[in-house]
Amino acid sequence: MAEAAAGMVWPLPAVWCPVVNFCFYSSMYLSGLFLAALSLRRYLGVVAPVRFRERRRPGWVLAVSGVIWLVACGHCSVVFVAELGGRGEDDGGGVGGPKVDLV
C-alpha cells in the first residue's frame, strides 16, 4: 500500500522490500495450497465417506500442513536469494564476477 500511495516508488528502507514481497507471495501460495488441500479432503469425504472417516488423524493434518508451509515458503524464498545473491544488474556482481568493458 505504501508503494502504491507513493506513486509506485518504494518509500520504505530497502531491507523491507524482499521481506514484504516474501510475506505477500507466501500468503498467496499458502492460501491456494490450503484451499486445494481442503477441497481434496472434501472430495474424499463425499466419494468415500465411510472409509475416509476412519482415516482422520491429527498427525496427518500436521504433516500435510508442514509440507504446504515448506513448499510455499521455499518457493517464495527465491526473493531473498535474488536480493542477497545479486542479480547482476548495475552492481557488477552476480554470477561471473564484475562486468568488464572490453572496448
Side-chain angles (χ1 to χ4, degrees):
M1 293 300 294
E3 184 179 17
M8 299 310 287
V9 176
W10 187 253
L12 302 173
V15 173
W16 283 98
C17 185
V19 173
V20 169
N21 282 329
F22 176 81
C23 292
F24 175 74
Y25 285 109
S26 63
S27 68
M28 297 273 288
Y29 281 108
L30 285 168
S31 298
L33 290 172
F34 274 115
L35 282 174
L38 180 64
S39 297
L40 179 65
R41 186 166 189 242
R42 296 280 176 132
Y43 172 77
L44 290 174
V46 169
V47 171
V50 175
R51 193 170 60 173
F52 184 66
R53 184 176 32 183
E54 297 170 359
R55 296 182 184 205
R56 284 187 181 172
R57 294 188 183 129
W60 277 104
V61 173
L62 291 174
V64 169
S65 296
V67 167
I68 288 174
W69 274 92
L70 284 174
V71 167
C73 292
H75 178 72
C76 292
S77 67
V78 172
V79 173
F80 290 114
V81 172
E83 191 67 30
L84 298 176
R87 288 172 263 168
E89 298 174 358
D90 298 330
D91 60 355
V95 180
K99 296 177 184 174
V100 177
D101 195 13
L102 298 176
V103 177

